[in-house]
Amino acid sequence: MAFVMIARQALFQLKSSTSVKACVKECKHDNSNSNVVQLPEKTRNSSVLVLGGTGRVGGSTATALSKFCPDLRIVIGGRNREKGAAMVGQLGRNSEFTEVNIENVDSLGAALKDVDLVVHAAGPFQQAAKCTVLEAAIETKTAYVDVCDDTSYALRAKSFKDKALAANIPAITTGGIYPGVSNVMAAELVRAAKTESKGKPERLRNLPEVRSAHDVLGIPTVSARFGTAPFFWNWGMSAMTNLLSPEFLKDRTKVQQLVQLFDPLVRAVDGIAGERVSMRVDLECTDGRNTLGLFSHRKLSVSVGNATAAFALAVLEGSTQPGVWFPEEPEGIAIEARELLLNRATEGTINFIMNKPPWMVETDPKELGLGIYV
């Protein structure tokens, strides 16, 4: 099964027009006029290194950070100086490029030497034998966030918890959009249910990271569903698992070459079909209470940057304790900081709903008054 997941993730990298299928009625929601973030005095002029900053996820993260916090010094880390210069040109002041090889300890150490936080967006994370960036962050006492989407890698990162504690640095793994924001949404649904329901949370469905949500939130059954539109991307995903050998899909270099090969096609299709992203998280309780969270944005490339930037800002604001944490852990993102993180992550969404019963989302209820709907 491992190579099937790698194929899915390779296709996900190829495609920014991913859209998780959810049968819901669209509710307009636009919070695009956010205020500039005012960081605490001690971190106001921090430096943030974005590894993979010339790629889609890293580039959109750097853009979002620059928008949220113009005073941040943003360092774009990558191997391609030409692409790095172009990215710095887009970001403008307070940005620079540094050439770095994440597989080289000396290169990483030099890049992390003068920064306060590193955002690791230089995937793919599948089949990575070591957490080289996290290890370097611990060694240099640099705060850390990654956008890992691989369970094995995330669990390996968690094994460095004690070392991160000893170095007194906060680290978040799987801090992207999904998993990441999806698991914070799940955590908030569970928290509300435990407060408001007489039953126990029993089942989570759709997009949380299954293993961590099961372990951290204590939900007996957690399942994930993933789909894309246009439909032929799903065919492509299936074809990759059937036509390409497991050995090929386990080779990170070959997978990355595949991504680069198909990237022009993906961008062309995105220009026609768009790159809307939607995700839904459903929670069922033993007393029959059902609630959901819903997120929809017209551009995945923008929303994933906002989501990752939201985690980075939470770390800079001191909302994360020393150690290595999943987003849904209260030590990862403090419970009282979740609402603010979600507000930033949902910047520009056309639809964001939390803690509503499905019937209020899937139908068009009319309020008669006194809390009565038909």
Side-chain angles (χ1 to χ4, degrees):
M1 286 299 294
F3 71 90
V4 176
M5 295 302 295
I6 295 168
R8 192 199 80 173
Q9 295 301 339
L11 181 62
F12 172 73
Q13 291 177 68
L14 290 174
K15 184 165 161 18
S16 68
S17 55
T18 300
S19 176
V20 178
K21 295 177 181 177
C23 298
V24 297
K25 180 179 178 64
E26 178 178 289
C27 302
K28 297 296 182 182
H29 173 80
D30 189 347
N31 55 358
S32 58
N33 296 317
S34 69
N35 295 322
V36 172
V37 175
Q38 292 295 326
L39 292 172
E41 185 66 33
K42 64 178 181 179
T43 58
R44 188 159 299 166
N45 297 310
S46 294
S47 298
V48 179
L49 170 64
V50 182
L51 293 175
T54 60
R56 287 196 172 192
V57 175
S60 62
T61 298
T63 300
L65 282 170
S66 179
K67 176 189 65 177
F68 281 129
C69 258
D71 290 336
L72 281 178
R73 173 175 163 256
I74 300 175
V75 182
I76 301 299
R79 297 187 182 186
N80 190 310
R81 285 191 171 275
E82 184 178 348
K83 290 183 178 180
M87 192 67 213
V88 168
Q90 293 178 28
L91 295 174
R93 70 181 185 90
N94 285 349
S95 65
E96 61 184 270
F97 173 78
T98 184
E99 188 171 353
V100 58
N101 178 359
I102 66 170
E103 302 299 333
N104 184 286
V105 174
D106 292 336
S107 179
L108 270 175
L112 291 170
K113 184 178 180 181
D114 296 318
V115 299
D116 302 288
L117 167 68
V118 57
V119 178
H120 182 10
F125 292 88
Q126 289 73 25
Q127 300 302 317
K130 297 181 179 179
C131 297
T132 54
V133 178
L134 176 57
E135 292 183 67
I138 293 172
E139 182 67 25
T140 57
K141 298 187 177 181
T142 306
Y144 171 95
V145 173
D146 70 41
V147 296
C148 166
D149 52 4
D150 179 71
T151 301
S152 297
Y153 188 97
L155 293 177
R156 190 177 301 117
K158 285 285 289 183
S159 71
F160 288 91
K161 174 185 171 183
D162 290 342
K163 291 185 178 180
L165 279 167
N168 196 36
I169 69 156
I172 294 179
T173 186
T174 67
I177 186 168
Y178 52 87
V181 169
S182 59
N183 275 39
V184 175
M185 291 170 62
E188 279 298 274
L189 291 177
V190 171
R191 184 187 63 82
K194 289 182 176 179
T195 301
E196 302 168 6
S197 174
K198 294 181 180 179
K200 295 181 179 180
E202 184 177 39
R203 183 180 181 187
L204 268 171
R205 289 186 292 115
N206 294 340
L207 266 184
E209 202 292 317
V210 173
R211 174 69 179 270
S212 67
H214 171 74
D215 293 345
V216 174
L217 301 178
I219 308 301
T221 302
V222 185
S223 61
R225 300 177 183 178
F226 184 90
T228 63
F231 63 90
F232 52 75
W233 292 121
N234 294 310
W235 292 355
M237 189 186 305
S238 177
M240 286 177 64
T241 63
N242 291 323
L243 298 178
L244 300 178
S245 69
E247 290 71 24
F248 182 98
L249 294 172
K250 291 178 181 179
D251 190 317
R252 297 176 76 244
T253 301
K254 291 180 179 178
V255 170
Q256 192 62 39
Q257 290 172 346
L258 188 67
V259 170
Q260 295 172 355
L261 176 65
F262 282 95
D263 187 63
L265 173 62
V266 172
R267 291 179 184 271
V269 173
D270 284 353
I272 299 171
E275 49 171 311
R276 177 167 167 170
V277 57
S278 295
M279 58 183 179
R280 172 170 167 168
V281 182
D282 287 77
L283 176 66
E284 299 174 7
C285 296
T286 55
D287 64 350
R289 172 192 171 100
N290 296 327
T291 54
L292 63 81
L294 186 66
F295 175 112
S296 184
H297 197 289
R298 286 190 175 90
K299 289 190 175 184
L300 173 61
S301 59
V302 173
S303 60
V304 71
N306 289 341
T308 310
F311 283 106
L313 292 172
V315 171
L316 291 173
E317 289 172 328
S319 299
T320 303
Q321 295 182 23
V324 182
W325 311 103
F326 291 118
E328 63 269 32
E329 292 184 279
E331 299 91 346
I333 298 297
I335 293 174
E336 60 272 18
R338 287 175 181 167
E339 182 178 358
L340 181 57
L341 181 141
L342 290 175
N343 284 341
R344 290 167 178 166
T346 57
E347 173 85 9
T349 53
I350 56 175
N351 192 13
F352 179 64
I353 295 170
M354 277 296 297
N355 203 34
K356 297 292 185 182
W359 64 266
M360 292 194 72
V361 177
E362 297 168 353
T363 62
D364 188 17
K366 307 296 182 183
E367 185 175 9
L368 300 179
L370 300 177
I372 300 175
Y373 291 84
V374 294

